[in-house]
Short mmCIF file of all heavy atoms in Angstrom, two decimals:
data_model
loop_
_atom_site.label_atom_id
_atom_site.label_comp_id
_atom_site.label_asym_id
_atom_site.label_seq_id
_atom_site.Cartn_x
_atom_site.Cartn_y
_atom_site.Cartn_z
N VAL W 20 225.10 174.25 233.21
CA VAL W 20 226.47 174.69 233.01
C VAL W 20 227.21 174.65 234.35
O VAL W 20 228.38 174.27 234.27
CB VAL W 20 226.52 175.95 232.28
CG1 VAL W 20 227.96 176.63 232.17
CG2 VAL W 20 225.82 175.99 230.90
N PHE W 21 226.52 175.23 235.25
CA PHE W 21 227.21 175.25 236.60
C PHE W 21 227.70 173.90 237.09
O PHE W 21 228.67 173.69 237.57
CB PHE W 21 226.19 176.00 237.58
CG PHE W 21 226.89 175.93 239.00
CD1 PHE W 21 227.83 176.83 239.39
CD2 PHE W 21 226.44 175.03 239.91
CE1 PHE W 21 228.32 176.99 240.68
CE2 PHE W 21 226.98 175.09 241.20
CZ PHE W 21 227.86 175.99 241.61
N SER W 22 226.80 172.87 237.08
CA SER W 22 227.16 171.60 237.55
C SER W 22 228.31 170.96 236.79
O SER W 22 229.09 170.29 237.44
CB SER W 22 225.95 170.72 237.61
OG SER W 22 225.34 170.58 236.32
N VAL W 23 228.44 171.11 235.54
CA VAL W 23 229.42 170.64 234.69
C VAL W 23 230.75 171.20 235.07
O VAL W 23 231.71 170.71 235.18
CB VAL W 23 229.17 170.85 233.29
CG1 VAL W 23 230.37 170.36 232.45
CG2 VAL W 23 227.88 169.94 232.77
N GLY W 24 230.70 172.61 235.31
CA GLY W 24 231.87 173.34 235.66
C GLY W 24 232.33 172.92 237.08
O GLY W 24 233.60 172.72 237.33
N ALA W 25 231.54 172.85 238.07
CA ALA W 25 231.78 172.35 239.38
C ALA W 25 232.32 171.03 239.42
O ALA W 25 233.37 170.72 239.96
CB ALA W 25 230.58 172.55 240.31
N ALA W 26 231.74 170.15 238.67
CA ALA W 26 232.25 168.77 238.58
C ALA W 26 233.60 168.74 238.02
O ALA W 26 234.50 167.93 238.45
CB ALA W 26 231.34 167.78 237.80
N ALA W 27 233.83 169.45 236.97
CA ALA W 27 235.26 169.37 236.43
C ALA W 27 236.22 169.93 237.36
O ALA W 27 237.25 169.42 237.54
CB ALA W 27 235.24 170.29 235.15
N LEU W 28 235.92 171.16 238.02
CA LEU W 28 236.85 171.68 238.92
C LEU W 28 237.13 170.74 240.19
O LEU W 28 238.30 170.54 240.56
CB LEU W 28 236.46 173.05 239.48
CG LEU W 28 236.52 174.11 238.38
CD1 LEU W 28 235.87 175.38 238.92
CD2 LEU W 28 237.86 174.43 237.87
N ILE W 29 236.04 170.15 240.68
CA ILE W 29 236.24 169.14 241.83
C ILE W 29 236.96 167.97 241.37
O ILE W 29 237.87 167.51 241.97
CB ILE W 29 234.91 168.95 242.46
CG1 ILE W 29 234.44 170.19 243.13
CG2 ILE W 29 235.02 167.80 243.45
CD1 ILE W 29 232.89 170.12 243.46
N GLY W 30 236.61 167.41 240.17
CA GLY W 30 237.25 166.34 239.71
C GLY W 30 238.76 166.41 239.45
O GLY W 30 239.49 165.45 239.56
N LEU W 31 239.07 167.62 238.97
CA LEU W 31 240.50 167.83 238.64
C LEU W 31 241.33 168.17 240.01
O LEU W 31 242.54 168.44 239.93
CB LEU W 31 240.69 169.00 237.61
CG LEU W 31 240.23 168.68 236.30
CD1 LEU W 31 240.17 169.89 235.36
CD2 LEU W 31 240.98 167.61 235.55
N GLY W 32 240.64 168.28 241.00
CA GLY W 32 241.29 168.65 242.37
C GLY W 32 241.58 170.11 242.44
O GLY W 32 242.31 170.57 243.29
N LEU W 33 240.97 170.92 241.53
CA LEU W 33 241.23 172.36 241.67
C LEU W 33 240.32 173.12 242.59
O LEU W 33 240.61 174.22 243.01
CB LEU W 33 241.03 173.04 240.22
CG LEU W 33 242.00 172.55 239.23
CD1 LEU W 33 241.62 173.13 237.85
CD2 LEU W 33 243.48 172.82 239.51
N ALA W 34 239.30 172.41 243.12
CA ALA W 34 238.26 172.95 244.04
C ALA W 34 237.79 171.84 244.88
O ALA W 34 237.54 170.75 244.47
CB ALA W 34 237.23 173.74 243.41
N PRO W 35 237.55 172.10 246.20
CA PRO W 35 236.95 171.18 247.04
C PRO W 35 235.55 171.08 247.05
O PRO W 35 234.87 172.21 246.69
CB PRO W 35 237.40 171.47 248.44
CG PRO W 35 237.60 172.96 248.34
CD PRO W 35 237.97 173.28 246.97
N VAL W 36 234.81 170.16 247.36
CA VAL W 36 233.35 170.17 247.57
C VAL W 36 233.11 170.95 248.78
O VAL W 36 233.69 170.86 249.76
CB VAL W 36 232.81 168.62 247.77
CG1 VAL W 36 231.24 168.77 248.05
CG2 VAL W 36 233.17 167.75 246.61
N PRO W 37 232.15 171.98 248.64
CA PRO W 37 231.86 172.76 249.78
C PRO W 37 231.49 171.95 250.98
O PRO W 37 230.72 170.98 250.85
CB PRO W 37 230.76 173.66 249.26
CG PRO W 37 230.83 173.67 247.79
CD PRO W 37 231.36 172.37 247.46
N ALA W 38 231.91 172.60 252.06
CA ALA W 38 231.60 171.75 253.49
C ALA W 38 230.06 171.70 253.65
O ALA W 38 229.33 172.64 253.45
CB ALA W 38 232.22 172.55 254.63
N GLY W 39 229.59 170.52 253.92
CA GLY W 39 228.15 170.29 254.11
C GLY W 39 227.30 170.14 252.82
O GLY W 39 226.11 170.07 252.90
N ALA W 40 227.92 170.17 251.72
CA ALA W 40 227.20 170.08 250.41
C ALA W 40 227.41 168.83 249.79
O ALA W 40 228.31 167.92 250.16
CB ALA W 40 227.89 171.15 249.49
N ALA W 41 226.42 168.45 249.14
CA ALA W 41 226.37 167.08 248.45
C ALA W 41 226.25 167.37 246.78
O ALA W 41 225.84 168.51 246.49
CB ALA W 41 225.32 166.22 248.73
N TRP W 42 226.58 166.39 246.05
CA TRP W 42 226.41 166.62 244.61
C TRP W 42 225.02 166.93 244.16
O TRP W 42 224.70 167.75 243.40
CB TRP W 42 226.82 165.32 243.85
CG TRP W 42 228.35 165.22 243.80
CD1 TRP W 42 229.15 164.32 244.64
CD2 TRP W 42 229.15 165.92 243.11
NE1 TRP W 42 230.41 164.54 244.31
CE2 TRP W 42 230.55 165.47 243.39
CE3 TRP W 42 228.95 166.93 242.15
CZ2 TRP W 42 231.69 166.03 242.70
CZ3 TRP W 42 230.15 167.53 241.38
CH2 TRP W 42 231.60 167.05 241.84
N ARG W 43 224.03 166.38 244.89
CA ARG W 43 222.65 166.62 244.62
C ARG W 43 222.30 168.01 244.81
O ARG W 43 221.55 168.71 244.08
CB ARG W 43 221.77 165.68 245.41
CG ARG W 43 220.26 165.93 244.96
CD ARG W 43 219.33 164.94 245.63
NE ARG W 43 219.25 163.74 244.90
CZ ARG W 43 218.53 162.73 245.27
NH1 ARG W 43 218.02 162.69 246.45
NH2 ARG W 43 218.33 161.65 244.55
N GLY W 44 222.84 168.68 245.97
CA GLY W 44 222.62 170.01 246.26
C GLY W 44 223.25 170.96 245.32
O GLY W 44 222.63 172.00 244.85
N LEU W 45 224.48 170.67 244.69
CA LEU W 45 225.03 171.37 243.74
C LEU W 45 224.24 171.44 242.43
O LEU W 45 224.02 172.36 241.73
CB LEU W 45 226.52 170.94 243.50
CG LEU W 45 227.55 171.17 244.56
CD1 LEU W 45 228.83 170.60 244.17
CD2 LEU W 45 227.67 172.73 244.66
N TYR W 46 223.69 170.33 242.18
CA TYR W 46 222.83 170.09 240.92
C TYR W 46 221.58 170.93 241.07
O TYR W 46 221.20 171.58 240.16
CB TYR W 46 222.64 168.61 240.69
CG TYR W 46 221.87 168.41 239.42
CD1 TYR W 46 222.49 168.68 238.18
CD2 TYR W 46 220.65 167.92 239.30
CE1 TYR W 46 221.88 168.49 236.93
CE2 TYR W 46 219.89 167.75 238.14
CZ TYR W 46 220.58 167.90 237.03
OH TYR W 46 219.89 167.80 235.82
N GLY W 47 221.00 170.98 242.21
CA GLY W 47 219.77 171.65 242.58
C GLY W 47 220.02 173.14 242.39
O GLY W 47 219.24 173.90 241.72
N VAL W 48 221.14 173.64 242.89
CA VAL W 48 221.41 175.15 242.77
C VAL W 48 221.64 175.51 241.37
O VAL W 48 221.31 176.48 240.83
CB VAL W 48 222.59 175.39 243.76
CG1 VAL W 48 223.19 176.82 243.46
CG2 VAL W 48 222.27 175.30 245.16
N SER W 49 222.25 174.60 240.63
CA SER W 49 222.58 174.90 239.16
C SER W 49 221.21 175.04 238.40
O SER W 49 221.11 175.76 237.41
CB SER W 49 223.48 173.84 238.53
OG SER W 49 222.71 172.62 238.39
N GLY W 50 220.17 174.37 238.81
CA GLY W 50 218.82 174.41 238.27
C GLY W 50 218.39 175.91 238.51
O GLY W 50 217.74 176.43 237.63
N TRP W 51 218.56 176.29 239.59
CA TRP W 51 218.09 177.77 239.90
C TRP W 51 218.92 178.80 239.01
O TRP W 51 218.45 179.87 238.72
CB TRP W 51 218.28 178.07 241.34
CG TRP W 51 217.21 177.58 242.16
CD1 TRP W 51 216.05 176.99 241.79
CD2 TRP W 51 217.09 177.61 243.61
NE1 TRP W 51 215.23 176.56 242.89
CE2 TRP W 51 215.97 176.93 243.98
CE3 TRP W 51 218.12 177.91 244.65
CZ2 TRP W 51 215.65 176.78 245.36
CZ3 TRP W 51 217.77 177.84 245.89
CH2 TRP W 51 216.43 177.17 246.28
N GLY W 52 220.08 178.41 238.58
CA GLY W 52 220.78 179.30 237.78
C GLY W 52 220.19 179.50 236.35
O GLY W 52 220.40 180.53 235.77
N GLY W 53 219.32 178.55 236.00
CA GLY W 53 218.65 178.70 234.81
C GLY W 53 217.63 179.82 234.85
O GLY W 53 217.31 180.36 233.70
N ILE W 54 217.29 180.28 235.94
CA ILE W 54 216.31 181.37 236.06
C ILE W 54 217.06 182.66 235.58
O ILE W 54 216.49 183.43 234.81
CB ILE W 54 215.87 181.65 237.47
CG1 ILE W 54 215.03 180.36 237.97
CG2 ILE W 54 215.06 182.90 237.65
CD1 ILE W 54 214.64 180.39 239.41
N GLY W 55 218.28 182.83 236.01
CA GLY W 55 219.06 184.01 235.55
C GLY W 55 219.38 183.93 234.07
O GLY W 55 219.27 185.05 233.43
N VAL W 56 219.67 182.75 233.56
CA VAL W 56 219.79 182.66 232.11
C VAL W 56 218.63 183.02 231.29
O VAL W 56 218.55 183.87 230.37
CB VAL W 56 220.23 181.28 231.76
CG1 VAL W 56 220.33 181.07 230.26
CG2 VAL W 56 221.73 181.00 232.37
N SER W 57 217.45 182.63 231.86
CA SER W 57 216.22 182.84 231.18
C SER W 57 215.91 184.34 231.18
O SER W 57 215.32 185.03 230.27
CB SER W 57 215.03 182.11 231.79
OG SER W 57 215.18 180.82 231.54
N MET W 58 216.27 184.95 232.33
CA MET W 58 215.98 186.50 232.44
C MET W 58 216.89 187.23 231.39
O MET W 58 216.38 188.30 230.89
CB MET W 58 216.11 186.93 233.93
CG MET W 58 215.10 186.44 234.69
SD MET W 58 213.40 186.51 234.18
CE MET W 58 213.14 188.30 233.83
N GLY W 59 218.01 186.80 231.21
CA GLY W 59 218.92 187.32 230.23
C GLY W 59 218.32 187.21 228.88
O GLY W 59 218.35 188.16 228.06
N LEU W 60 217.78 186.11 228.57
CA LEU W 60 217.07 185.89 227.28
C LEU W 60 215.91 186.83 227.12
O LEU W 60 215.55 187.30 226.07
CB LEU W 60 216.78 184.44 227.06
CG LEU W 60 217.93 183.52 226.97
CD1 LEU W 60 217.36 182.02 227.01
CD2 LEU W 60 218.61 183.72 225.72
N PHE W 61 215.23 187.00 228.30
CA PHE W 61 214.08 187.99 228.25
C PHE W 61 214.39 189.29 227.85
O PHE W 61 213.84 189.99 227.00
CB PHE W 61 213.38 187.89 229.54
CG PHE W 61 212.35 188.87 229.68
CD1 PHE W 61 211.07 188.76 229.09
CD2 PHE W 61 212.44 190.12 230.37
CE1 PHE W 61 210.03 189.60 229.21
CE2 PHE W 61 211.41 191.02 230.58
CZ PHE W 61 210.18 190.73 229.99
N ILE W 62 215.50 189.80 228.49
CA ILE W 62 216.03 191.18 228.12
C ILE W 62 216.52 191.20 226.58
O ILE W 62 216.26 192.16 225.95
CB ILE W 62 217.18 191.58 229.03
CG1 ILE W 62 216.72 191.65 230.51
CG2 ILE W 62 217.94 192.72 228.57
CD1 ILE W 62 217.77 191.80 231.49
N GLY W 63 217.03 190.09 226.19
CA GLY W 63 217.45 190.10 224.87
C GLY W 63 216.30 190.02 223.91
O GLY W 63 216.25 190.54 222.69
N SER W 64 215.17 189.47 224.33
CA SER W 64 213.86 189.38 223.51
C SER W 64 213.39 190.89 223.25
O SER W 64 212.56 191.07 222.21
CB SER W 64 212.87 188.65 224.14
OG SER W 64 212.27 189.38 225.29
N LEU W 65 213.81 191.84 223.91
CA LEU W 65 213.32 193.24 223.76
C LEU W 65 213.90 193.76 222.43
O LEU W 65 213.44 194.85 221.92
CB LEU W 65 213.74 194.13 224.90
CG LEU W 65 213.18 193.69 226.22
CD1 LEU W 65 213.67 194.59 227.36
CD2 LEU W 65 211.65 193.79 226.22
N ALA W 66 214.88 193.06 221.81
CA ALA W 66 215.34 193.45 220.52
C ALA W 66 214.45 193.27 219.33
O ALA W 66 214.55 193.93 218.30
CB ALA W 66 216.73 192.79 220.23
N PHE W 67 213.43 192.31 219.56
CA PHE W 67 212.57 192.06 218.47
C PHE W 67 211.49 193.25 218.46
O PHE W 67 210.80 193.56 219.46
CB PHE W 67 211.66 190.85 218.67
CG PHE W 67 212.74 189.52 218.44
CD1 PHE W 67 213.02 188.72 219.58
CD2 PHE W 67 213.06 189.24 217.19
CE1 PHE W 67 213.82 187.71 219.32
CE2 PHE W 67 213.92 188.12 217.09
CZ PHE W 67 214.38 187.45 218.04
N GLU W 68 211.29 193.77 217.27
CA GLU W 68 210.17 194.74 217.07
C GLU W 68 208.88 194.13 216.74
O GLU W 68 207.89 194.75 216.98
CB GLU W 68 210.62 195.71 216.07
CG GLU W 68 211.92 196.56 216.53
CD GLU W 68 212.20 197.64 215.51
OE1 GLU W 68 211.46 197.82 214.56
OE2 GLU W 68 213.33 198.19 215.60
N ASP W 69 208.91 192.93 216.13
CA ASP W 69 207.63 192.21 215.88
C ASP W 69 206.99 191.73 217.11
O ASP W 69 207.53 190.97 217.88
CB ASP W 69 208.10 191.03 214.93
CG ASP W 69 206.89 190.30 214.42
OD1 ASP W 69 205.67 190.81 214.60
OD2 ASP W 69 207.10 189.15 213.93
N GLY W 70 205.73 192.27 217.23
CA GLY W 70 204.99 191.91 218.53
C GLY W 70 204.79 190.50 218.70
O GLY W 70 204.77 189.89 219.85
N ASP W 71 204.55 189.79 217.63
CA ASP W 71 204.13 188.34 217.67
C ASP W 71 205.36 187.62 218.27
O ASP W 71 205.31 186.73 219.20
CB ASP W 71 203.61 187.89 216.46
CG ASP W 71 202.25 188.33 216.05
OD1 ASP W 71 201.51 188.74 216.98
OD2 ASP W 71 201.95 188.40 214.79
N ARG W 72 206.59 187.76 217.60
CA ARG W 72 207.74 187.13 217.94
C ARG W 72 208.08 187.41 219.43
O ARG W 72 208.52 186.56 220.17
CB ARG W 72 208.87 187.47 217.07
CG ARG W 72 208.78 186.72 215.79
CD ARG W 72 210.11 186.95 215.08
NE ARG W 72 209.99 186.34 213.66
CZ ARG W 72 210.69 186.64 212.63
NH1 ARG W 72 211.84 187.44 212.93
NH2 ARG W 72 210.73 186.04 211.55
N GLN W 73 207.95 188.62 219.74
CA GLN W 73 208.31 189.17 221.05
C GLN W 73 207.60 188.42 222.16
O GLN W 73 208.02 188.02 223.14
CB GLN W 73 208.13 190.63 221.24
CG GLN W 73 208.80 191.19 222.41
CD GLN W 73 208.72 192.72 222.45
OE1 GLN W 73 207.74 193.32 221.89
NE2 GLN W 73 209.74 193.31 223.00
N ARG W 74 206.24 188.26 221.90
CA ARG W 74 205.31 187.54 222.90
C ARG W 74 205.69 185.98 222.96
O ARG W 74 205.72 185.52 224.00
CB ARG W 74 203.90 187.74 222.40
CG ARG W 74 203.30 189.22 222.89
CD ARG W 74 201.82 189.12 222.69
NE ARG W 74 201.48 189.26 221.18
CZ ARG W 74 201.52 190.47 220.53
NH1 ARG W 74 201.93 191.54 221.27
NH2 ARG W 74 201.17 190.51 219.28
N LEU W 75 206.09 185.57 221.83
CA LEU W 75 206.45 184.08 221.83
C LEU W 75 207.70 183.82 222.73
O LEU W 75 207.92 182.94 223.39
CB LEU W 75 206.59 183.52 220.42
CG LEU W 75 205.30 183.25 219.76
CD1 LEU W 75 205.59 182.87 218.29
CD2 LEU W 75 204.42 182.26 220.46
N VAL W 76 208.64 184.71 222.43
CA VAL W 76 209.93 184.62 223.14
C VAL W 76 209.69 184.91 224.65
O VAL W 76 210.24 184.19 225.47
CB VAL W 76 211.03 185.74 222.67
CG1 VAL W 76 212.16 185.72 223.50
CG2 VAL W 76 211.45 185.31 221.21
N GLN W 77 208.95 185.86 224.97
CA GLN W 77 208.75 186.17 226.51
C GLN W 77 208.02 184.89 227.07
O GLN W 77 208.24 184.69 228.19
CB GLN W 77 207.90 187.36 226.62
CG GLN W 77 208.64 188.64 226.24
CD GLN W 77 207.81 189.92 226.20
OE1 GLN W 77 206.67 189.84 226.20
NE2 GLN W 77 208.44 191.08 226.09
N LEU W 78 207.18 184.28 226.35
CA LEU W 78 206.41 183.12 226.86
C LEU W 78 207.35 182.01 227.11
O LEU W 78 207.32 181.30 228.24
CB LEU W 78 205.25 182.73 225.92
CG LEU W 78 204.46 181.59 226.38
CD1 LEU W 78 203.64 181.88 227.71
CD2 LEU W 78 203.35 181.19 225.38
N GLY W 79 208.33 181.82 226.08
CA GLY W 79 209.28 180.83 226.22
C GLY W 79 210.25 181.01 227.40
O GLY W 79 210.65 180.07 228.12
N VAL W 80 210.61 182.30 227.54
CA VAL W 80 211.48 182.56 228.78
C VAL W 80 210.76 182.53 230.14
O VAL W 80 211.32 181.82 231.00
CB VAL W 80 211.93 184.07 228.56
CG1 VAL W 80 212.56 184.62 229.85
CG2 VAL W 80 212.90 184.28 227.43
N LEU W 81 209.52 182.77 230.23
CA LEU W 81 208.73 182.54 231.41
C LEU W 81 208.65 181.09 231.75
O LEU W 81 208.85 180.63 232.87
CB LEU W 81 207.40 183.24 231.19
CG LEU W 81 206.48 183.02 232.38
CD1 LEU W 81 206.96 183.57 233.67
CD2 LEU W 81 205.04 183.45 232.01
N PHE W 82 208.34 180.29 230.72
CA PHE W 82 208.25 178.87 230.83
C PHE W 82 209.54 178.18 231.32
O PHE W 82 209.62 177.40 232.30
CB PHE W 82 207.64 178.13 229.58
CG PHE W 82 207.77 176.68 229.71
CD1 PHE W 82 206.70 175.98 230.43
CD2 PHE W 82 208.61 175.84 229.11
CE1 PHE W 82 206.58 174.66 230.54
CE2 PHE W 82 208.50 174.44 229.23
CZ PHE W 82 207.54 173.92 229.99
N GLY W 83 210.68 178.67 230.64
CA GLY W 83 212.03 178.15 230.96
C GLY W 83 212.41 178.60 232.58
O GLY W 83 212.98 177.85 233.26
N SER W 84 212.00 179.71 232.95
CA SER W 84 212.30 180.26 234.23
C SER W 84 211.59 179.34 235.33
O SER W 84 211.99 178.95 236.34
CB SER W 84 211.96 181.62 234.54
OG SER W 84 212.83 182.49 233.75
N LEU W 85 210.20 179.22 234.98
CA LEU W 85 209.35 178.23 235.86
C LEU W 85 209.88 176.82 235.91
O LEU W 85 209.93 176.22 237.04
CB LEU W 85 208.00 178.31 235.35
CG LEU W 85 207.19 179.70 235.61
CD1 LEU W 85 205.82 179.56 234.96
CD2 LEU W 85 207.13 179.96 237.03
N LEU W 86 210.33 176.36 234.80
CA LEU W 86 210.83 174.98 234.77
C LEU W 86 212.18 174.96 235.64
O LEU W 86 212.34 173.98 236.32
CB LEU W 86 211.10 174.55 233.39
CG LEU W 86 211.62 173.17 233.17
CD1 LEU W 86 210.48 172.11 233.57
CD2 LEU W 86 211.92 172.94 231.69
N SER W 87 213.05 175.78 235.41
CA SER W 87 214.24 175.86 236.17
C SER W 87 213.94 175.96 237.66
O SER W 87 214.58 175.36 238.51
CB SER W 87 215.16 177.12 235.78
OG SER W 87 215.58 176.87 234.51
N ALA W 88 213.09 176.92 238.05
CA ALA W 88 212.70 177.03 239.53
C ALA W 88 212.19 175.73 240.07
O ALA W 88 212.56 175.34 241.14
CB ALA W 88 211.79 178.23 239.76
N THR W 89 211.24 175.12 239.33
CA THR W 89 210.58 173.98 239.84
C THR W 89 211.63 172.79 239.98
O THR W 89 211.68 172.10 240.90
CB THR W 89 209.61 173.48 238.89
OG1 THR W 89 208.69 174.55 238.79
CG2 THR W 89 208.76 172.29 239.36
N MET W 90 212.46 172.69 238.93
CA MET W 90 213.50 171.59 239.02
C MET W 90 214.44 171.80 240.14
O MET W 90 214.75 170.75 240.77
CB MET W 90 214.26 171.57 237.63
CG MET W 90 215.31 170.49 237.62
SD MET W 90 216.50 170.57 236.18
CE MET W 90 217.53 171.93 236.81
N GLY W 91 214.98 172.98 240.27
CA GLY W 91 215.95 173.23 241.43
C GLY W 91 215.31 173.03 242.74
O GLY W 91 215.89 172.39 243.66
N TYR W 92 214.04 173.44 242.95
CA TYR W 92 213.33 173.26 244.21
C TYR W 92 213.06 171.69 244.40
O TYR W 92 213.33 171.29 245.59
CB TYR W 92 211.90 173.88 244.20
CG TYR W 92 211.23 173.63 245.36
CD1 TYR W 92 211.44 174.28 246.61
CD2 TYR W 92 210.11 172.77 245.43
CE1 TYR W 92 210.66 174.03 247.75
CE2 TYR W 92 209.40 172.41 246.44
CZ TYR W 92 209.66 173.07 247.64
OH TYR W 92 208.93 172.85 248.80
N ALA W 93 212.66 171.05 243.38
CA ALA W 93 212.45 169.57 243.61
C ALA W 93 213.68 168.88 243.96
O ALA W 93 213.73 167.88 245.00
CB ALA W 93 211.76 168.96 242.35
N ILE W 94 214.81 169.22 243.42
CA ILE W 94 216.04 168.53 243.58
C ILE W 94 216.52 168.89 245.03
O ILE W 94 217.01 167.95 245.76
CB ILE W 94 217.15 168.87 242.65
CG1 ILE W 94 216.86 168.27 241.27
CG2 ILE W 94 218.56 168.42 243.00
CD1 ILE W 94 217.62 168.63 240.07
N LEU W 95 216.45 170.18 245.46
CA LEU W 95 216.93 170.48 246.71
C LEU W 95 216.12 169.94 247.73
O LEU W 95 216.46 169.54 248.85
CB LEU W 95 217.00 171.98 246.87
CG LEU W 95 218.15 172.67 245.95
CD1 LEU W 95 218.02 174.14 246.04
CD2 LEU W 95 219.47 172.20 246.50
N ARG W 96 214.73 169.87 247.58
CA ARG W 96 213.77 169.29 248.56
C ARG W 96 214.09 167.90 248.79
O ARG W 96 213.98 167.35 249.88
CB ARG W 96 212.29 169.58 248.05
CG ARG W 96 211.27 169.03 248.91
CD ARG W 96 210.91 170.02 250.01
NE ARG W 96 209.81 169.43 250.71
CZ ARG W 96 209.44 169.82 251.90
NH1 ARG W 96 210.11 170.83 252.43
NH2 ARG W 96 208.41 169.33 252.41
N ALA W 97 214.34 167.13 247.68
CA ALA W 97 214.51 165.77 247.79
C ALA W 97 215.90 165.33 248.43
O ALA W 97 215.93 164.43 249.05
CB ALA W 97 214.44 165.14 246.39
N SER W 98 216.95 166.26 248.28
CA SER W 98 218.28 165.95 248.84
C SER W 98 218.24 166.27 250.32
O SER W 98 219.06 165.86 251.00
CB SER W 98 219.20 166.82 248.13
OG SER W 98 219.04 168.17 248.32
N GLY W 99 217.27 167.04 250.79
CA GLY W 99 217.17 167.47 252.14
C GLY W 99 216.50 166.41 253.16
O GLY W 99 216.52 166.47 254.34
N ARG W 100 215.94 165.44 252.51
CA ARG W 100 215.16 164.41 253.31
C ARG W 100 216.09 163.44 253.82
O ARG W 100 217.12 162.97 253.25
CB ARG W 100 214.23 163.66 252.42
CG ARG W 100 213.05 164.62 252.01
CD ARG W 100 212.06 163.75 251.28
NE ARG W 100 210.92 164.63 250.86
CZ ARG W 100 210.26 164.49 249.75
NH1 ARG W 100 210.46 163.50 248.97
NH2 ARG W 100 209.31 165.42 249.33
N LYS W 101 215.95 163.04 255.07
CA LYS W 101 216.73 161.98 255.66
C LYS W 101 216.14 160.53 255.44
O LYS W 101 214.89 160.43 255.43
CB LYS W 101 216.65 162.18 257.31
CG LYS W 101 217.17 163.51 257.85
CD LYS W 101 218.56 163.61 257.67
CE LYS W 101 219.03 164.94 258.14
NZ LYS W 101 220.34 165.37 257.80
N ARG W 102 217.11 159.68 255.14
CA ARG W 102 216.66 158.35 254.66
C ARG W 102 216.93 157.33 255.74
O ARG W 102 217.64 157.39 256.53
CB ARG W 102 217.25 157.95 253.39
CG ARG W 102 216.86 158.79 252.24
CD ARG W 102 217.35 158.33 250.93
NE ARG W 102 216.80 159.32 250.01
CZ ARG W 102 217.24 159.37 248.75
NH1 ARG W 102 218.20 158.42 248.42
NH2 ARG W 102 216.81 160.16 247.88
#
């Protein structure tokens, strides 16, 4: 969501690309944003009283957070290399 919003604002000329930033870096940071979204879903999972469903939701949130962190790290790590 972040990368789409940033691309739209930059493309429309409403915002500049941050100094020293590249598109790949913006995309990597947006991957890290998935961690916060997943944690919001985790808090929402507390609404379930059924223990089985609650555990499945928590496991899905944990997996989503790990996937977001890994994706963001990999993109940022790859974008920092000199070619």
Side-chain angles (χ1 to χ4, degrees):
V20 173
F21 175 78
S22 59
V23 173
L28 290 172
I29 292 169
L31 292 171
L33 298 174
V36 177
W42 283 105
R43 185 179 267 178
L45 288 173
Y46 186 65
V48 170
S49 70
W51 281 350
I54 298 169
V56 171
S57 295
M58 291 315 298
L60 292 172
F61 174 74
I62 292 169
S64 73
L65 299 176
F67 289 110
E68 293 182 14
D69 182 11
D71 291 334
R72 281 189 187 168
Q73 192 175 32
R74 281 187 286 279
L75 287 174
V76 170
Q77 289 172 350
L78 183 62
V80 168
L81 178 63
F82 179 73
S84 291
L85 290 173
L86 183 65
S87 293
T89 303
M90 182 190 78
Y92 175 78
I94 292 170
L95 291 173
R96 177 83 175 164
S98 68
R100 292 187 182 146
K101 302 288 182 194
R102 293 183 183 171

